[in-house]
Amino acid sequence: MNPIAFTRLLTLAAVWGASFLFMRIIAPVLGTVPTAFFRVSIACLGLMVILAVMRVRWDFQGKLGACLVLGMINSGIPATFYSVAAQVLPAGYSAIFNATTPLMGVLIGVLFFREPMTAAKLCGIFLGLFGVGILSGAGPVALDMALLQGALSCLAATTCYGFAGFLARRWIDGLDSRLAALGSMLGATLLLSPLFIWSALTQPPASWGGWPVWSSLLGLGLVCTAFAYILYFRLLAEIGPVKASTVTFMIPAFGVLWGAWLLDEPLSMAHLHGGVLIAAALWLVLKPTRRRG
């Protein structure tokens, strides 16, 4: 991996790590659906402005429909699940659960896309699940139904990411990363718009928040989503989906540090133990397979 690509990967990890911090500020105030909707809609508007300033031609090469569906799977649904988790889990926990994305990718590849299963990958899956279990049960957050709900929400989001990685390779290969990001956010916004309207009419938030909430929403939408997805799709094209997924190695460190530094979230040995086990699992899953002969 060249230094420029590695710098982009590190930047993406720091930005996505901060997204869990922002969601932890926003979701308890606005609720699940408004948080997810404003995240993707602000990102969509931001990308429109970026593409207009850069004078990028809206030529989706006949792949707009694929981008919209991919955006629902890769952005709309995961944003909702992570908003659920943000109401009960510290930012660092959500960031570490996010690191199970490659593990879900392996399972999905084997079950649905005829990807080969190796002994190392199988060991990595079980080791990663064990790490998630330690993180869930041994940290400063009490093991209860709220914690389990948050953990399952994170795992549901990473399952969506696992599917999306394979679908992106099949559906939008060769498309400009800026257009892929815009199409993805358009699809997510279309998915969440009716849910947001229904939520606002039937169960509006007790408060729509103040400046801290809306400044966090701007950061979440413009930086952690619009800018981040341009970087992500650029990395997919440059280094491929497997290497791009290694960003999840670094996201937990940033997520935990942002949460501890800015939200005074407690640190415990559960972060270390769970994070190390998940990192070892990822190494087993992602390490190159030796070719015989």
Side-chain angles (χ1 to χ4, degrees):
M1 188 184 302
N2 64 62
I4 295 177
F6 180 76
T7 301
R8 289 190 179 121
L9 197 69
L10 189 65
T11 302
L12 183 60
V15 167
W16 268 345
S19 70
F20 299 101
L21 166 74
F22 289 134
M23 284 189 289
R24 185 62 175 156
I25 295 172
I26 301 163
V29 178
L30 298 186
T32 299
V33 174
T35 300
F37 170 76
F38 284 124
R39 175 180 185 174
V40 299
S41 59
I42 290 172
C44 186
L45 292 174
L47 284 165
M48 289 180 180
V49 173
I50 291 172
L51 266 62
V53 171
M54 300 180 73
R55 298 183 179 180
V56 176
R57 185 165 170 258
W58 286 34
D59 181 11
F60 284 90
Q61 303 172 19
K63 299 176 181 179
L64 177 58
C67 283
L68 295 177
V69 176
L70 185 64
M72 296 177 186
I73 299 170
N74 194 53
S75 303
I77 299 174
T80 305
F81 278 123
Y82 275 126
S83 297
V84 171
Q87 297 185 61
V88 293
L89 291 184
Y93 270 54
S94 294
I96 294 177
F97 281 126
N98 182 70
T100 62
T101 297
L103 305 182
M104 293 300 180
V106 169
L107 285 173
I108 289 165
V110 171
L111 293 173
F112 299 98
F113 296 95
R114 297 182 181 180
E115 293 285 320
M117 173 64 80
T118 65
K121 288 181 178 180
L122 186 61
C123 290
I125 290 169
F126 284 108
L127 192 61
L129 294 175
F130 184 51
V132 169
I134 288 179
L135 178 64
S136 300
V141 178
L143 180 58
D144 55 18
M145 287 304 298
L147 173 60
L148 292 177
Q149 180 187 14
L152 290 175
S153 295
C154 289
L155 295 178
T158 60
T159 300
C160 291
Y161 289 151
F163 271 109
F166 288 98
L167 296 176
R169 280 191 292 177
R170 296 189 174 197
W171 292 355
I172 61 170
D173 185 47
L175 186 64
D176 187 313
S177 61
R178 296 164 296 185
L179 291 173
L182 175 60
S184 182
M185 290 305 110
L186 280 170
T189 302
L190 288 174
L191 174 68
L192 293 177
S193 291
L195 295 177
F196 170 71
I197 294 172
W198 177 82
S199 174
L201 292 176
T202 60
Q203 293 180 323
S207 168
W208 288 98
W211 173 243
V213 169
W214 286 94
S215 59
S216 297
L217 269 172
L218 290 175
L220 181 64
L222 297 178
V223 180
C224 299
T225 308
F227 172 68
Y229 269 90
I230 290 175
L231 272 183
Y232 173 67
F233 284 115
R234 179 69 177 270
L235 283 167
L236 279 179
E238 284 183 342
I239 63 177
V242 174
K243 289 184 178 179
S245 71
T246 59
V247 70
T248 57
F249 279 108
M250 296 174 278
I251 288 174
F254 283 106
V256 171
L257 289 175
W258 291 134
W261 180 31
L262 298 174
L263 295 181
D264 294 323
E265 293 183 347
L267 296 176
S268 75
M269 292 304 294
H271 287 100
L272 178 61
H273 295 159
V276 167
L277 285 173
I278 291 173
L282 290 171
W283 179 78
L284 288 171
V285 167
L286 297 175
K287 71 174 184 175
T289 303
R290 292 182 180 178
R291 296 182 178 178
R292 296 181 179 180

